[in-house]
Amino acid sequence: MKSIIFYISTFCLSLFLVSCGKNSTEGKEHLVFRYNESANVSSLDPAFAKSQAIIWPCNLLFNGLVQLDDSLHIQPDLAKKWMISNDGKTYIFTLRNDIYFHKNSLFGKDSTRTVKASDFEYSLKRLLDEKVASPGGWILQTVESMQAKNDSIFEIRLKKPFPAFLGLLSMKYASVVPKEIVDTPGYDFRAKPVGTGPFRLKLWEENVKLVLRKNPLYFEKDEKGVSLPYLEAVAVTFLPDKQSGFLQFVQGKLDFVSGLDPSYKDEILTQDGTLQPKYKNDVNLITGAYLNTEYLGFRMDGTDKTILDKRIRQAMNYGFDRKKMILYLRNGMGTPATSGIIPAGLPGYNHQQGYDYNPAKAKQLISEYRKATGNTKPTVFLTTNASYIDITEYLQREWQKIGLDVQVDVTPPATLRQAIATGKVSFFRASWIADYPDAENYLSLFYSKNFAPNGPNYTHFKNEAYDALYEQAFLETDNEKRYALYQKMDAIIINEAPIIPLFYDRVARFTRKNVQNLGINPLNLLQLKRVKKLPPDNS
């Protein structure tokens, strides 16, 4: 197995080096950025950029109208400026005129062409095409019309104001693609993408290797006028086992590892979340807030009468120490989720106290439940996956101390997701990673018109006051007033307890010492435009 891993890694690198010429192979390794992707990449078409595994390469291959900086502020991308009407329903974008698609023979003798407003009209309408069946069509649910006014002016009209709309357009779903390439009969765009991004496709052997090369036509430059990106290539391997990927990183065959996995977290981090001493000379640790809330959800219209009683749900929220859980099971990587579903770092974050550790209060609620129902041995059934078993076992022990029996069922991740969406589990492990930088992203989980499987309301929570506030927030163009509405909604969630918020996640990125300018952002988006690798002698 070791020799196969080494072959894959060196093949990706060699592919780039050979293309440089036989006499120039020395000293080129620092121009290739290497990482492993443990999840399956089923498509490189941005219309299907639903998972992080697909979003990362699509972010290197494609651009949209706007983009986010590392502080999640909306910045120009292919649109150099835009105007929003006073009623918040019309967006007019002015495009740059120096953007070229990656070279492709289907463009004709020039092998490329400039991006026009009509390309954005085609690309966004494609998301709504039932034949395409893109999972990203929902980002346009508030759109009434889209039209290219000329080659450089693109207009979008909304049915009603939606202040988070620009954030939606920063998602990779909204990337621009060339109509004549996508619509060419027999052309497989998912496997041979053509975009405008800083890198272009060189080779993709599914589940084995992916190689991207620098796009010589890319429009962005640094502060000194040097064309981006600095790297010449990106090489991705696909080892499904995260521990194997980590070992490749330790051996210097990968430049970057993202996230903490139970298989190696104690190997590389101390209990307080710092690098183990043996790695300090070779590895950099970059951490920051991550817009991901980990939680346990209750099916509010299910048949399990025990969890339908609010006292049980509140007792479970009070009945464990989130700070201890983060320290011992997450090596300090996370923030205890004592303030609702909205994570710290997003406007609308609710600073009011939610559920801190209070075992006395938890026991009191359990006692009240027993007296009211006659159920002296309340039992609940939690469904989770293997990667979460350490946390669920901790919770199981803590809840036993307050008089609650919790039975744990471990299922494969795909099976769990399907069971949650179809309502086959009453109490389940879940998480929500923000798609765009607005708290509405989280609050949509509890809007009654978003019931799963047709929406993200997996708990089937329904509350008239909550729905009214949610709909009011859509019409509010004053940011501060909208954030106040968000906090009122979050307060309802805290009180009704359809979920048990566990922690607000943190990004943990590990790089070799010679990697510079990688940065970090709360969406954990991989940005490589400004990344440099120092030659071995300088690292």
Side-chain angles (χ1 to χ4, degrees):
M1 181 65 179
K2 213 169 189 179
S3 62
I4 294 174
I5 291 171
F6 180 75
Y7 168 77
I8 293 171
S9 180
T10 54
F11 179 87
C12 289
L13 178 60
S14 300
L15 182 74
F16 162 64
L17 297 181
V18 169
S19 70
C20 295
K22 292 182 180 180
N23 297 323
S24 59
T25 59
E26 295 184 6
K28 295 294 184 180
E29 190 275 340
H30 70 284
L31 297 177
V32 182
F33 187 86
R34 305 158 302 171
Y35 75 91
N36 182 67
E37 178 53 67
S38 61
N40 179 44
V41 174
S42 58
S43 176
L44 293 175
D45 183 339
F48 298 90
K50 185 177 182 179
S51 66
Q52 180 177 280
I54 302 174
I55 290 171
W56 278 9
C58 281
N59 190 53
L60 305 177
L61 292 164
F62 296 94
N63 296 88
L65 290 164
V66 296
Q67 61 183 324
L68 299 173
D69 63 20
D70 282 350
S71 298
L72 301 188
H73 297 133
I74 296 171
Q75 303 291 348
D77 197 0
L78 302 193
K80 60 183 178 181
K81 62 181 180 179
W82 56 87
M83 182 188 72
I84 305 173
S85 63
N86 291 334
D87 63 4
K89 293 196 292 185
T90 302
Y91 291 68
I92 299 176
F93 298 90
T94 301
L95 305 186
R96 299 176 62 105
N97 60 6
D98 57 349
I99 309 300
Y100 293 88
F101 284 111
H102 298 157
K103 287 187 175 182
N104 187 289
S105 60
L106 292 176
F107 282 125
K109 64 178 182 178
D110 295 326
S111 299
T112 186
R113 68 167 175 82
T114 57
V115 173
K116 302 176 182 179
S118 57
D119 293 310
F120 274 102
E121 180 177 345
Y122 167 78
S123 300
L124 293 181
K125 287 182 177 179
R126 179 172 174 254
L127 299 180
L128 302 174
D129 188 338
E130 293 182 357
K131 294 180 180 178
V132 175
S134 166
W138 65 270
I139 71 171
L140 303 173
Q141 60 186 341
T142 61
V143 171
E144 182 176 80
S145 64
M146 298 176 284
Q147 185 179 15
K149 294 296 186 179
N150 53 43
D151 284 351
S152 60
I153 303 297
F154 181 53
E155 179 186 272
I156 300 178
R157 291 182 180 272
L158 305 185
K159 302 170 187 174
K160 57 184 179 181
F162 183 37
F165 183 66
L166 273 180
L168 287 177
L169 292 181
S170 71
M171 296 177 66
K172 299 322 296 180
Y173 289 133
S175 301
V176 67
V177 298
K179 181 180 187 300
E180 64 268 49
I181 303 293
V182 177
D183 289 350
T184 296
Y187 191 89
D188 186 7
F189 194 76
R190 62 166 287 282
K192 296 184 287 185
V194 177
T196 58
F199 297 90
R200 55 192 174 88
L201 181 70
K202 176 66 176 181
L203 173 73
W204 183 27
E205 186 176 341
E206 294 187 39
N207 298 318
V208 179
K209 53 187 169 286
L210 171 66
V211 180
L212 308 179
R213 289 293 309 274
K214 178 178 181 176
N215 174 17
L217 301 176
Y218 193 60
F219 69 99
E220 286 191 273
K221 294 178 171 58
D222 68 11
E223 295 75 12
K224 296 181 180 180
V226 177
S227 295
L228 299 176
Y230 302 123
L231 296 166
E232 285 291 339
V234 179
V236 186
T237 52
F238 293 92
L239 300 173
D241 180 56
K242 291 185 178 181
Q243 188 174 24
S244 296
F246 175 72
L247 290 175
Q248 289 281 287
F249 172 73
V250 169
Q251 294 167 11
K253 297 172 184 176
L254 297 176
D255 299 304
F256 163 71
V257 170
S258 177
L260 280 178
D261 189 76
S263 65
Y264 61 78
K265 68 179 179 65
D266 294 323
E267 164 68 17
I268 195 166
L269 290 184
T270 63
Q271 196 171 82
D272 62 358
T274 59
L275 280 173
Q276 293 283 5
K278 64 180 179 180
Y279 290 111
K280 288 186 176 180
N281 293 331
D282 300 315
V283 175
N284 286 324
L285 167 63
I286 312 170
T287 65
Y290 182 25
L291 296 187
N292 172 39
T293 299
E294 298 281 340
Y295 68 94
L296 303 178
F298 299 100
R299 184 76 173 201
M300 300 295 287
D301 59 357
T303 57
D304 189 335
K305 293 183 179 180
T306 304
I307 63 172
L308 293 181
D309 193 299
K310 185 165 71 172
R311 289 166 294 199
I312 293 292
R313 301 195 304 273
Q314 290 180 333
M316 297 177 77
N317 266 288
Y318 282 121
F320 67 101
D321 191 335
R322 290 169 173 82
K323 294 179 181 178
K324 183 188 294 185
M325 179 183 71
I326 295 297
L327 178 63
Y328 292 107
L329 300 180
R330 293 279 303 173
N331 295 73
M333 286 294 165
T335 302
T338 58
S339 301
I341 187 68
I342 301 173
L346 269 186
Y349 170 69
N350 202 335
H351 294 278
Q352 73 180 53
Q353 190 63 48
Y355 292 99
D356 210 345
Y357 181 46
N358 191 338
K361 179 67 173 177
K363 290 177 181 178
Q364 177 190 338
L365 288 165
I366 295 290
S367 178
E368 291 175 1
Y369 168 81
R370 286 172 174 166
K371 290 178 182 178
T373 64
N375 183 359
T376 58
K377 294 183 179 180
T379 302
V380 298
F381 299 88
L382 171 61
T383 307
T384 186
N385 58 40
S387 65
Y388 232 64
I389 194 65
D390 55 343
I391 288 180
T392 53
E393 287 179 346
Y394 164 75
L395 294 172
Q396 188 180 37
R397 291 192 298 269
E398 294 300 294
W399 287 328
Q400 188 175 30
K401 295 175 184 177
I402 64 171
L404 187 65
D405 181 30
V406 177
Q407 301 294 317
V408 178
D409 179 32
V410 180
T411 65
T415 303
L416 177 59
R417 287 192 295 269
Q418 180 66 19
I420 293 171
T422 55
K424 294 180 179 178
V425 289
S426 59
F427 183 35
F428 51 87
R429 176 258 161 167
S431 63
W432 190 259
I433 302 173
D435 296 309
Y436 51 94
D438 193 284
E440 186 274 337
N441 204 207
Y442 291 88
L443 299 170
S444 67
L445 296 176
F446 306 100
Y447 183 48
S448 66
K449 294 182 180 179
N450 285 341
F451 274 12
N454 299 317
N457 187 344
Y458 301 110
T459 63
H460 279 208
F461 176 77
K462 185 175 183 178
N463 181 285
E464 290 184 2
Y466 185 94
D467 285 353
L469 289 168
Y470 184 83
E471 291 169 0
Q472 184 181 347
F474 262 76
L475 303 175
E476 183 56 69
T477 56
D478 184 296
N479 286 339
E480 294 305 316
K481 291 180 179 178
R482 191 169 80 258
Y483 300 153
L485 293 173
Y486 288 170
Q487 291 185 343
K488 289 180 180 179
M489 283 183 267
D490 211 13
I492 291 175
I493 297 304
I494 291 170
N495 180 61
E496 294 298 322
I499 62 169
I500 300 174
L502 298 174
F503 59 90
Y504 310 124
D505 211 350
R506 288 184 67 80
V507 179
R509 290 183 166 184
F510 305 94
T511 71
R512 308 300 303 178
K513 281 289 186 180
N514 65 329
V515 174
Q516 297 183 333
N517 306 332
L518 180 63
I520 200 165
N521 56 80
L523 289 175
N524 197 22
L525 191 64
L526 186 61
Q527 298 276 20
L528 297 180
K529 290 182 292 189
R530 296 177 177 271
V531 167
K532 292 181 179 180
K533 282 178 62 181
L534 297 177
D537 292 342
N538 298 327
S539 58

